Amino acid sequence: MTLDLGSSPRRRFLSLTGAAAGLAIAGTLPGITASTASGVEKEDLRGYPFTLGVAAGDPLPDAVVIWTRLALDPLAPFGGMAARPVAVRWQVAEDERFRTIVRSGVAVARREASHSVHVDVRGLRPWRHYYYRFLVGGQVSPVGRMRTAPAPWQSPASLAFAFASCQAYWDGFYTAYRDLAAHDHDVVFHLGDYLYEIGVGTDAGVRRQPVPDEFARETVTLDEYRGRYALYKSDPDLQAAHASAAWIVTMDDHEVENNWAGPISQDDAPRDEFLVRRANAFRAWWEHMPVRAAQSPSGPDIRLYRRFQYGTLARFNLLDTRQYRDDQAAGDGTKAPNPGSLDPNRTITGKEQERWLLDGMAQRSARWEVLAHQTAIAQLDTKAGPEVLVPMDTWDGYVASRKRILGGAAERGVRNLVSIAGDLHRSVVSELRPDYADDASPVVGTEFVGTSISSAGDGEDLDEGGRTILAENPHVKFGNFQRGYVRCEVDRARWVSDFRVVDRVTVPGGTVTSRARFAVEDRDPTVHTV
């Protein structure tokens, strides 16, 4: 390809892109957590800078992270912002009209961080609703609402939350997020595939939305990942969902590349080259997510796994099953169990994260112990008849990890183990056993896999693949192949999961209904319909 490198804005963009890429590799994130703006001139931007909305995340009993990114022209390089830093005022209040402001300050939005702002607001009260906003000059952001977590010793009567995943922009509208935003959730979990590295096409698929030509390419550079996040976050329904509650986010594969595994690219790119791409992807993820400084990347490395305690009622273990996993067995795909998938030394979590998880389970600090992660733990035989074929990218490709985690939970006396996951683009409810090859292996937990927000288009109630999974896996109790998300209501006596589905996502204005509701009783991991 021939590029015109004359004295054009495009040349300046390419030059600055190179500098930003260097920062991604170095892991330097200058200024984005600053709480003061000394020496930064306040300005009244010519245009509205809050086009990507606001978000809150990672709630603790006394703290929450609030986020925004300034972008006058979201799909333009650097969001159409000038190079200079911008002072951004922020406020947290007890009421939506901001009559009782409890915390406030000034942060600096800098170009090297895409003019994103992360503020770790401290000194809040446990289990309280708060409202937040940002101000630049005469412009005011949308108002976001969030709730802090309970104190560790508190025992909340109930907890309402939602989880979602997989939102390919070109495959459908985010109608499910419109529904999610209309409900009152204490917290929302996003379990991966927030964006897709695949090109969206010049008309953004079913959305028929003109986008710059470069959006048809697969993301590789830092600026390409930044642009893709800007496109996704420009969606009004996604913005509304973010503004409705604090989110806890992790990532799966498509935030980098499909089915990557540790330092290994699916496309067999040279390792050093792939690690540069991974650094770019991690950097852009950080810039666009409401997460703490502890989750800022150091080049191609990032600490995603962490815990969130909701008093004595529930504890969420947010996992990372991409960065530390061994390469998929037998060349990936759907295969029969094989020496690779059955290898006792192979892992989907890595040894350090596995130890962290099992040591935490030994504490037994909450009634409900939750694994919030990327993909299905339960065995999913996808072949009709006596032959067993299972996906190598799920925990079926890492059988020893499944045995160690599920068996370890039982050995440590975990009272109620629940797995919530995504990735499959279908809803699946299963009972978890440490060893599916042993008929005597006990049920030790319950798994709720949520479908996609939009990926795979409209779908149908139950496709042929879903019928096969139900027929071949007696531990699977429900399947659905429509788009949507899952709402959960948890109290001391039981857990209820409500599978919300959209009739059509390929057109705007689809209808969202409750397809099925399943309950798990305290101390009984079997599932039943409600």
Side-chain angles (χ1 to χ4, degrees), residues 273-446:
E273 180 181 305
F274 178 67
L275 288 178
V276 171
R277 181 180 185 179
R278 207 172 85 173
N280 293 335
F282 288 177
R283 172 64 179 268
W285 180 88
W286 154 262
E287 290 175 350
H288 291 85
M289 293 296 135
V291 292
R292 288 192 164 78
Q295 276 60 63
S296 62
S298 176
D301 302 309
I302 191 170
R303 174 66 178 258
L304 290 173
Y305 65 89
R306 52 205 194 275
R307 285 193 181 92
F308 295 90
Q309 189 85 30
Y310 275 75
T312 60
L313 182 61
R315 183 171 64 171
F316 295 88
N317 302 274
L318 194 70
L319 305 184
D320 175 356
T321 60
R322 282 290 158 194
Q323 195 172 179
Y324 314 110
R325 67 160 64 192
D326 291 302
D327 196 11
Q328 290 89 348
D332 206 356
T334 302
K335 306 287 175 60
N338 54 76
S341 68
L342 301 175
D343 185 341
N345 295 312
R346 282 169 41 83
T347 174
I348 195 171
T349 62
K351 292 181 180 179
E352 181 179 337
Q353 184 179 192
E354 181 179 295
R355 187 181 309 111
W356 167 87
L357 179 57
L358 291 173
D359 287 348
M361 287 181 178
Q363 298 171 6
R364 289 181 286 179
S365 64
R367 184 169 299 233
W368 300 91
E369 191 80 38
V370 188
L371 309 181
H373 60 114
Q374 290 75 17
T375 193
I377 296 177
Q379 178 173 292
L380 298 176
D381 180 7
T382 62
K383 175 72 171 177
E387 185 182 5
V388 174
L389 293 180
V390 292
M392 294 293 101
D393 191 57
T394 72
W395 291 60
D396 275 328
Y398 304 84
V399 171
S401 279
R402 179 164 62 205
K403 289 181 179 179
R404 289 192 296 266
I405 297 300
L406 298 184
E411 292 168 2
R412 286 158 178 78
V414 171
R415 180 167 177 161
N416 298 294
L417 182 68
V418 180
S419 162
I420 59 173
D423 181 53
L424 303 183
H425 303 172
R426 64 174 70 245
S427 298
V428 181
V429 177
S430 307
E431 294 171 350
L432 294 176
R433 302 175 184 267
D435 188 353
Y436 287 101
D438 180 3
D439 291 338
S441 185
V443 177
V444 299
T446 314

Side-chain angles (χ1 to χ4, degrees), residues 114-404:
S114 295
H115 285 95
S116 62
V117 174
H118 300 67
V119 181
D120 194 351
V121 184
R122 297 279 169 168
L124 302 176
R125 296 181 181 180
W127 208 222
R128 293 285 296 269
H129 284 107
Y130 290 96
Y131 298 85
Y132 63 96
R133 66 183 180 185
F134 299 88
L135 306 94
V136 173
Q139 303 285 2
V140 183
S141 76
V143 174
R145 180 176 182 264
M146 46 77 174
R147 192 176 195 180
T148 52
W153 60 85
Q154 283 184 291
S155 181
S158 63
L159 171 67
F161 70 93
F163 66 92
S165 63
C166 305
Q167 52 197 49
Y169 192 82
W170 65 90
D171 266 350
F173 293 86
Y174 292 166
T175 309
Y177 279 136
R178 182 193 65 202
D179 184 75
L180 186 153
H183 291 89
D184 188 8
H185 297 109
D186 298 315
V187 67
V188 173
F189 289 84
H190 196 284
L191 302 177
D193 293 347
Y194 191 98
L195 61 70
Y196 282 67
E197 83 286 9
I198 304 163
V200 301
T202 55
D203 62 353
V206 300
R207 293 180 178 242
R208 300 294 184 262
Q209 172 187 344
V211 294
D213 290 344
E214 56 263 30
F215 281 72
R217 297 196 299 264
E218 185 167 330
T219 53
V220 175
T221 69
L222 175 56
D223 290 284
E224 287 168 344
Y225 282 109
R226 284 170 165 170
R228 200 61 52 85
Y229 277 107
L231 176 65
Y232 277 58
K233 293 183 81 71
S234 67
D235 183 274
D237 292 326
L238 177 56
Q239 288 187 20
H242 268 297
S244 71
W247 284 37
I248 296 173
V249 295
T250 185
M251 71 173 77
D252 193 13
D253 54 339
H254 285 289
E255 287 89 348
V256 180
E257 177 200 55
N258 182 54
N259 281 19
W260 64 279
I264 301 170
S265 162
Q266 182 195 46
D267 295 332
D268 297 320
R271 184 166 298 206
D272 290 347
E273 180 181 305
F274 178 67
L275 288 178
V276 171
R277 181 180 185 179
R278 207 172 85 173
N280 293 335
F282 288 177
R283 172 64 179 268
W285 180 88
W286 154 262
E287 290 175 350
H288 291 85
M289 293 296 135
V291 292
R292 288 192 164 78
Q295 276 60 63
S296 62
S298 176
D301 302 309
I302 191 170
R303 174 66 178 258
L304 290 173
Y305 65 89
R306 52 205 194 275
R307 285 193 181 92
F308 295 90
Q309 189 85 30
Y310 275 75
T312 60
L313 182 61
R315 183 171 64 171
F316 295 88
N317 302 274
L318 194 70
L319 305 184
D320 175 356
T321 60
R322 282 290 158 194
Q323 195 172 179
Y324 314 110
R325 67 160 64 192
D326 291 302
D327 196 11
Q328 290 89 348
D332 206 356
T334 302
K335 306 287 175 60
N338 54 76
S341 68
L342 301 175
D343 185 341
N345 295 312
R346 282 169 41 83
T347 174
I348 195 171
T349 62
K351 292 181 180 179
E352 181 179 337
Q353 184 179 192
E354 181 179 295
R355 187 181 309 111
W356 167 87
L357 179 57
L358 291 173
D359 287 348
M361 287 181 178
Q363 298 171 6
R364 289 181 286 179
S365 64
R367 184 169 299 233
W368 300 91
E369 191 80 38
V370 188
L371 309 181
H373 60 114
Q374 290 75 17
T375 193
I377 296 177
Q379 178 173 292
L380 298 176
D381 180 7
T382 62
K383 175 72 171 177
E387 185 182 5
V388 174
L389 293 180
V390 292
M392 294 293 101
D393 191 57
T394 72
W395 291 60
D396 275 328
Y398 304 84
V399 171
S401 279
R402 179 164 62 205
K403 289 181 179 179
R404 289 192 296 266

